[in-house]
Amino acid sequence: MDQLTRDAIKAFVRLHKTTESMYADPHQPGMEEALSNAAQEANKLMREAGLLGKPDSVILSLVDQVFPGWKPDVPQGPTPGSVLSLLIPSGPLDFPPDDPRLRATGEAVTAATRARLLRSALVQAGVGELGKWDLEVLDRLGAAFDWSVIAALVSWIERASHSNPTTNN
């Protein structure tokens, strides 16, 4: 692995860890600036290394080479006990769920994060590999709908997968 790719993967992991810190404690001083800086650095280096748009499996394989055994929570989807799993309603909804980031920081959960949550729920439900069109539709849904709609969709997918004995969960 060349140094540019290694630096890009390190920046990707820093961004992930910064994002986890933001979700764990959104009121931490300097968090918004740290998240913005980490995102800009990761985007720049991932673009320069030709990694933007690569499948998650490729990125995670490279991450495993640089950080053996490290498995990020977010790209693999919410897991029981993870911060993200706490954000997704686990039962019937009577009211729209509040956007946790909007409530904590004044800025909404991004469209990319909403799309990633949908993708993670589908993969965990056993959909398997997603094609380019699948990913585009997920991006469109993440951009078109706010947190309350995406949280409801993810909740439905997760509840359906837990009640279906043929899934991998």
Side-chain angles (χ1 to χ4, degrees):
M1 173 183 317
D2 64 38
Q3 189 61 44
L4 180 58
T5 301
R6 184 175 296 282
D7 290 345
I9 294 302
K10 287 179 179 179
F12 172 83
V13 169
R14 271 193 302 277
L15 173 59
H16 183 82
K17 289 181 177 183
T18 303
T19 302
E20 284 180 334
S21 293
M22 187 277 300
Y23 276 116
D25 184 8
H27 301 293
Q28 185 177 348
M31 183 49 64
E32 289 180 31
E33 183 178 352
L35 186 59
S36 176
N37 290 342
Q40 288 175 16
E41 177 190 27
N43 184 279
K44 176 183 178 283
L45 291 172
M46 296 284 284
R47 183 177 4 87
E48 289 174 2
L51 296 174
L52 285 183
K54 295 287 185 187
D56 290 350
S57 59
V58 170
I59 303 300
L60 293 176
S61 172
L62 293 169
V63 167
D64 196 48
Q65 290 177 41
V66 178
F67 299 95
W70 184 78
K71 301 292 183 206
D73 289 334
V74 176
Q76 295 177 6
T79 56
S82 75
V83 173
L84 286 177
S85 70
L86 300 175
L87 305 178
I88 302 299
S90 61
L93 301 170
D94 293 319
F95 302 98
D98 289 335
D99 181 325
R101 187 168 189 264
L102 182 63
R103 189 175 56 239
T105 68
E107 294 181 23
V109 170
T110 66
T113 298
R114 294 189 300 264
R116 187 173 62 239
L117 284 170
L118 273 172
R119 181 177 64 228
S120 295
L122 290 171
V123 169
Q124 283 191 352
V127 169
E129 187 173 349
L130 298 171
K132 288 181 183 179
W133 177 247
D134 295 319
L135 296 174
E136 184 174 331
V137 170
L138 290 172
D139 286 342
R140 288 182 185 194
L141 289 170
F145 294 104
D146 67 7
W147 171 262
S148 64
V149 173
I150 299 300
L153 291 171
V154 170
S155 176
W156 295 344
I157 294 166
E158 289 181 353
R159 286 186 276 157
S161 72
H162 292 300
S163 67
N164 184 350
T166 62
T167 64
N168 296 331
N169 292 328

